Amino acid sequence: MTAQHLKLGFLASRNGSSARAVIAAIESGRLDASARLVVSNNRTAPLLAFAEAHAIPALCIATQADPRAADARLSEALQTAGVELVVLSGYLRQLGPKVLGAYRNRVLNIHPGPLPRFGGHGMYGRHVHEAVIAAGVAESGACILVVDEEYDHGPVIARHVVPVEPGDTAETLEARVTAAEPGFFVETLQRIAQGELKLPG
């Protein structure tokens, strides 16, 4: 096992709960990492203000007007900041070829349900929990996966099980999975930093 210092970049569209938890773990010394850059596609994303308050470089890169230019700018910004591993924390845009090419097997996302069964296009947020409840399965949970060109398609590197309780609704299940996600992301990054968990490639 070879320990390593993680040089992290964060992408978020809104609040970035997992990103906040990871940054808190870095600041408290529980995670051997540095937060190099926070980027949002949304100028009013609360995570941008959070990053600035914690002296982390923050940037808004809008993606809708010119996705190709935004992809190139994002790739350049991450590399210039020295980012080696990208954490998606509620980033509601598909990554482009420049970022995915520069960070092949180095972009991690968290999905709020079992993969591959409850993943793919349109399977996000409450939709995932509704599908889990409708399927009548006994377990749900969160998956951390390596991001590639397809939604929820890359290899899953860690799973956190959340049992489906009798009488659960999509809302109650969502609340428990959402509460578990930030700590699970921190734990997974700790395992990577400590050399216990290897990324593909």
Side-chain angles (χ1 to χ4, degrees):
M1 296 192 305
T2 305
Q4 59 177 318
H5 177 83
L6 304 180
K7 299 173 183 177
L8 302 177
F10 301 90
L11 306 184
S13 294
R14 295 174 184 159
N15 199 46
S17 299
S18 289
R20 290 171 186 251
V22 172
I23 291 165
I26 293 170
E27 292 175 342
S28 69
R30 292 182 293 119
L31 175 62
D32 183 11
S34 51
R36 297 300 182 99
L37 184 66
V38 168
V39 181
S40 181
N41 61 304
N42 173 13
R43 214 168 285 282
T44 61
L47 188 64
L48 291 176
F50 176 88
E52 289 169 3
H54 289 253
I56 301 166
L59 191 60
C60 177
I61 300 178
T63 57
Q64 287 178 306
D66 190 342
R68 191 173 299 178
D71 175 38
R73 188 177 171 211
L74 177 56
S75 177
E76 181 181 2
L78 290 167
Q79 292 177 76
T80 299
V83 170
E84 294 180 354
L85 183 63
V86 180
V87 171
L88 303 191
S89 184
Y91 188 64
L92 305 178
R93 289 288 180 269
Q94 194 162 17
L95 295 176
K98 294 277 190 187
V99 172
L100 289 174
Y103 289 94
R104 178 69 56 192
N105 294 326
R106 293 296 178 270
V107 182
L108 300 181
N109 192 24
I110 192 162
H111 183 75
L115 290 175
R117 182 174 179 184
F118 298 99
H121 190 70
M123 291 295 275
Y124 61 90
R126 178 96 22 111
H127 300 294
V128 177
H129 307 293
E130 289 171 345
V132 168
I133 294 293
V137 296
E139 293 180 344
S140 186
C143 293
I144 292 177
L145 68 149
V146 175
V147 174
D148 63 13
E149 289 80 3
E150 295 180 47
Y151 284 114
D152 306 324
H153 175 263
V156 173
I157 63 167
R159 298 177 187 271
H160 177 84
V161 173
V162 175
V164 178
E165 305 288 355
D168 254 341
T169 64
E171 291 79 6
T172 59
L173 180 59
E174 179 181 41
R176 292 205 310 285
V177 174
T178 300
E181 286 180 349
F184 174 50
F185 222 138
V186 170
E187 175 191 308
T188 301
L189 291 171
Q190 287 170 331
R191 291 175 62 204
I192 294 170
Q194 291 161 4
E196 296 175 11
L197 183 60
K198 299 292 186 186
L199 295 175

